[in-house]
Amino acid sequence: MAVTEPATLPPADWMTRPGLDRLAEALGADAGAARYVGGAVRDTLLGIPVADIDVATIHPPQEVVRRLQAAGIKAVPTGIAHGTVTAVAEGTVVEVTTLRRDVATDGRHAEVAFTDDWQADAARRDFTMNALYADMASHRLYDHFGGITDLRAGRIRFIGDPLRRIAEDHLRILRFFRFLARFGNAPDEAGLAACVARANDLMALSRERIADELLKLLVARDAIGVLRLMIDHAIWQPVLPEFDAAGIDRLAALVDGETAAAIAPDPIRRLAALLDAGNAEGVTARLKLSNAQRKRVGVALGDATGSPLALGYRLGIEGAIDRLLLGGDPAAAATVAGWTRPSLPLSGGALVERGLARGPDVARALRQVEDRWIAEGFPDAERTAAIADDVVAQALRATSKA
């Protein structure tokens, strides 16, 4: 990703979103009181789409609320104790945060004080490429720690002492590797050494935060290379010792399959590749994934034998794609991905009309009809009716003999 060093942020589509001009005026951007910060600036310099917009301002949180309300902009106090107000202007959502400096940290939470010092606010951020600001009015860039140079080099570099940054927030270990997988070319040696030295700090994090970073990492550009690096340096050992080189090999095969089948990467499917039937339930429970996500991993790791379309019918399209890709059959997965799952063109009532008594016999016969319908490749209603006639006749003969 080529990065230049412009004096101002280049034009980008997100800058024309409705309401941004009103927000800039409300926050006093013309007087230099508000700047875009973080991902929107970084991603614009990289020429990639911007999802979220964050703004930093010298105004205290209550003053931000007052200004927004005076301008007719909705102000939601989403994190006002830490200086963050969500502004909703003409449908555009922006996180507005007062400049801060850390007062105390424990590796999970920070106590902050508000400030009007832009460099102090930049100094508390994690990586140089995330401490880039652009004036909301003029789009002039402010780079306090060489972030643009690091961005051009694909270097994920902590601001200041990496060990101190990690001590402030242990999640920065995982963020270092996720950003390396997304933007990096090679690891910054000082940053890598600090992450290795403090890997045990991950045990202090909530499993939800770990899961969130892991799932984002799994779909990053160089997920495989970075995960191998993490395993080689025992980063996962304190919290996810199940991750090993064999799992990375399975993930690499899955990624190749996704590419061959032209199927989009999926973090839950990729997590399943790192696991096996023996450890999947324990790991997904430990990460506190949702019940649906845990069930999906279990389904993905099942046996992929049989007709791909039969799998698609019984497991659902998503479940069949997962299982077929993990089973090493991207062509079959592509077939299922382009298929619309049909519905059985017959009901239990049709079996009653054919002479079966209501009750368990109908349910049993309907399953038999469905099994044959699937085995024959989902034939039309006429053929399904013939199957039903045969199944009912067999059931009635069995009943008369009994």
Side-chain angles (χ1 to χ4, degrees), residues 26-190:
L27 293 175
D30 285 342
R35 299 173 183 174
Y36 297 116
V37 64
V41 180
R42 177 198 67 219
D43 293 350
T44 300
L45 290 172
L46 289 171
I48 61 178
V50 167
D52 301 323
I53 302 174
D54 294 293
V55 167
T57 181
I58 62 173
H59 301 302
Q62 295 297 345
E63 174 65 8
V64 170
V65 171
R66 187 195 69 76
R67 284 171 170 264
L68 295 182
Q69 291 176 340
I73 297 172
K74 183 178 180 180
V76 184
T78 45
I80 199 163
H82 285 84
T84 299
V85 176
T86 299
V88 184
E90 299 176 38
T92 297
V93 179
V94 178
E95 296 292 317
V96 181
T97 302
T98 303
L99 301 185
R100 299 173 294 181
R101 60 180 178 81
D102 286 334
V103 174
T105 59
D106 63 4
R108 293 179 297 173
H109 310 287
E111 180 184 342
V112 300
F114 302 126
T115 180
D116 59 2
D117 185 335
W118 292 96
Q119 181 147 341
D121 184 76
R124 71 176 298 277
R125 297 177 183 269
D126 49 8
F127 309 117
T128 58
M129 65 173 58
N130 291 337
L132 300 172
Y133 301 77
D135 188 277
M136 287 190 77
S138 68
H139 294 174
R140 176 186 172 185
L141 285 166
Y142 296 86
D143 179 6
H144 298 281
F145 297 102
I148 294 177
T149 299
D150 288 338
L151 198 60
R152 187 195 322 114
R155 181 170 49 243
I156 313 304
R157 185 165 61 88
F158 283 101
I159 294 172
D161 179 6
L163 289 171
R164 180 177 176 180
R165 294 282 84 81
I166 291 170
E168 291 166 349
D169 184 352
H170 306 323
L171 193 69
R172 286 172 174 169
I173 296 172
L174 297 184
R175 285 174 59 82
F176 175 84
F177 291 103
R178 175 165 67 86
F179 276 75
L180 179 61
R182 185 179 179 195
F183 302 114
N185 293 321
D188 174 69
E189 292 301 324

Side-chain angles (χ1 to χ4, degrees), residues 269-282:
R269 183 192 305 130
R270 290 188 172 191
L271 174 61
L274 291 174
L275 305 174
D276 58 44
N279 60 32
E281 185 175 352

Side-chain angles (χ1 to χ4, degrees), residues 226-242:
V226 169
L227 284 165
R228 286 195 193 280
L229 179 70
M230 296 176 78
I231 288 172
D232 288 345
H233 288 83
I235 300 298
W236 291 115
Q237 191 63 32
V239 289
L240 291 168
E242 294 85 356

Side-chain angles (χ1 to χ4, degrees), residues 294-326:
R294 292 167 64 178
K295 181 180 179 180
R296 183 178 172 191
V297 170
V299 168
L301 292 172
D303 187 358
T305 57
S307 160
L309 297 187
L311 281 177
Y313 181 81
R314 295 191 183 280
L315 302 179
I317 301 296
E318 181 181 72
I321 289 172
D322 291 348
R323 189 175 290 189
L324 290 165
L325 285 175
L326 288 168

